[in-house]
Amino acid sequence: MSKRVGLVLGAGGVLGGAWLTGGLKALADATGWDPGEADHIVGTSAGSVIGSLTAAGIPAWFMVDHSHGETFDGLTGPDGRPAGEADRSGGGVFKLRRGLPGIGPGSWRLGLATLAQPMRHTPAALAAGWLPRGVISTHTIEDTIRRAVPGDWAEHPNLWVVACDYASARRTVFGREGSPPAELPQAVAASCSIPGFFHPVTISGRRYVDGGMRSPSNLDLLAGLDLDVVICLNPTSTLERGGGWNPLDRVAGAVRTGAGRRLGYEARRVREGGTDVVLIQPTAEDLLVMGRNLMAGKKRNEVIDKAIETVGEQLRAPEVARKLSALPAGEPHKLRRPQGPVESWPEIGPAMRRAERAARVA
């Protein structure tokens, strides 16, 4: 029986998304498994962008080549537009939203709620309500998703996109049964809407912001789902010890330490149900390339290339390789670039579910 797999892609800004892209390429190379075939995909902030593209059937090798400037002449996306015209910045193009900026705190209700009960909120939520409402548009993010997913939602049966209610900081998991209805581009934009930077996204009459305000990974959403293994790539934590006297380095180190503690807590919750958990985090080499500013898109390709290397090394560790053994083999064109001209390639789209593949073979 094939393993039931969960895939969790954490928050991390533009460079976090680049690291996830390289990491997924390394994962496909090391295991022969297509990440788009995960039974559950959970994406937060930058992870929601990469997770949605993965769920839509965009292979990691394609994302890597596209970011490096490949035009794929003759290939069109699901929306009918040439694939080579799609944005290559990974959300790193920032444009002001039309309209006058708001005055005062972005969310009085959240700010006052955190004052009344500060221990019930994360450090990010404590600050988020008091920050001014962001003025950067999420249009570029929405367009990236819309090009890959022409319908309301990806065909994947369990793509979950995490955002937070701007009035209460409560976690909202778009795509999960019982959550508010939303189109995928809106949900991903909401998940990426960093308070104080991006303008909050309104869905069904409520405003939403970055899902990383609740947790950088939201790994605990996959607890108790009877999965065999959960693979979590989390760009904002690390096992490396922070150093240096620069105050900015110390702040970045503190943020990563907090993210790591949260990740460890959530991993324990998932493991309590008998599910193996594989945690992949940036190494010292990754952090050196990424630098302090995770929104600096100019380093995107450097981060991708380094992640392919460092994540590959982590996946080859004996204990990790054991947990990921016997993953179902992916379709060849989802694992590596097909030979020959673009016109001869199999269709690049949603992964054929294992049950469908078995039925066709039968």
Side-chain angles (χ1 to χ4, degrees):
M1 181 180 294
S2 296
K3 287 187 174 182
R4 299 189 70 244
V5 186
L7 178 66
V8 177
L9 304 177
V14 174
L15 295 186
W19 184 84
L20 290 171
T21 300
L24 289 179
K25 174 66 164 58
L27 180 60
D29 290 345
T31 63
W33 173 72
D34 171 17
E37 288 198 4
D39 295 273
H40 286 76
I41 298 177
V42 176
T44 301
S45 198
S48 73
V49 176
I50 306 303
S52 295
L53 296 178
T54 299
I58 309 299
W61 66 259
F62 185 96
M63 296 187 216
V64 171
D65 288 357
H66 177 74
S67 182
H68 278 289
E70 173 64 66
T71 59
F72 302 105
D73 293 336
L75 186 67
T76 58
D79 62 351
R81 290 183 282 178
E85 294 180 1
D87 177 66
R88 302 178 193 276
S89 69
V93 175
F94 307 124
K95 297 180 180 180
L96 291 175
R97 180 181 179 273
R98 293 182 178 179
L100 295 174
I103 299 175
S107 175
W108 279 104
R109 286 186 60 185
L110 177 58
L112 294 174
T114 59
L115 285 180
Q117 296 179 306
M119 301 305 294
R120 295 187 59 182
H121 297 276
T122 66
L126 291 175
W130 298 107
L131 292 172
R133 196 172 304 172
V135 296
I136 302 299
S137 170
T138 57
H139 176 75
T140 301
I141 297 171
E142 293 181 35
D143 187 62
T144 295
I145 302 304
R146 195 169 283 112
R147 291 187 68 109
V149 183
D152 291 343
W153 203 263
E155 292 184 21
H156 192 283
N158 293 299
L159 168 63
W160 294 352
V161 173
V162 186
C164 287
D165 189 301
Y166 202 18
S168 65
R170 290 193 183 94
R171 179 167 64 183
T172 299
V173 186
F174 292 108
R176 186 172 68 173
E177 185 176 358
S179 294
E183 294 183 358
L184 186 57
Q186 285 183 306
V188 171
S191 182
C192 294
S193 185
I194 303 170
F197 186 77
F198 286 114
H199 194 80
V201 176
T202 301
I203 298 175
S204 299
R206 298 194 69 84
R207 293 184 298 157
Y208 294 93
V209 291
D210 199 316
M213 189 169 74
R214 166 62 165 70
S215 162
S217 69
N218 291 288
L219 170 62
D220 59 317
L221 287 172
L222 295 187
L225 295 185
D226 197 28
L227 298 171
D228 294 298
V229 61
V230 171
I231 306 165
C232 176
L233 283 75
N234 198 52
T236 56
S237 59
T238 184
L239 295 177
E240 306 295 334
R241 305 187 79 176
W245 292 99
N246 190 306
L248 294 177
D249 289 332
R250 291 185 174 275
V251 170
V255 170
R256 290 190 178 279
T257 297
R261 287 174 179 163
R262 181 76 196 185
L263 182 68
Y265 165 76
E266 293 177 353
R268 288 192 294 273
R269 285 199 59 193
V270 176
R271 290 184 177 120
E272 286 171 357
T275 297
D276 278 333
V277 177
V278 172
L279 300 178
I280 304 295
Q281 304 169 73
T283 67
E285 294 177 69
D286 293 304
L287 298 179
L288 184 61
V289 176
M290 294 167 82
R292 304 185 193 105
N293 183 8
L294 295 181
M295 303 300 281
K298 290 183 179 180
K299 294 183 177 181
R300 178 174 170 78
N301 288 324
E302 294 178 65
V303 172
I304 288 174
D305 293 342
K306 180 55 67 175
I308 292 173
E309 175 187 329
T310 61
V311 172
E313 292 173 357
Q314 293 181 65
L315 293 170
R316 287 189 290 272
E319 182 63 17
V320 174
R322 181 193 64 78
K323 291 179 180 179
L324 299 183
S325 64
L327 289 178
E331 298 172 272
H333 69 285
K334 293 299 182 66
L335 304 178
R336 63 192 66 86
R337 180 177 177 140
Q339 298 293 320
V342 168
E343 294 79 7
S344 68
W345 291 1
E347 182 179 355
I348 295 177
M352 187 188 302
R353 306 263 70 82
R354 291 196 293 273
E356 296 174 3
R357 188 182 305 172
R360 289 193 184 186
V361 172

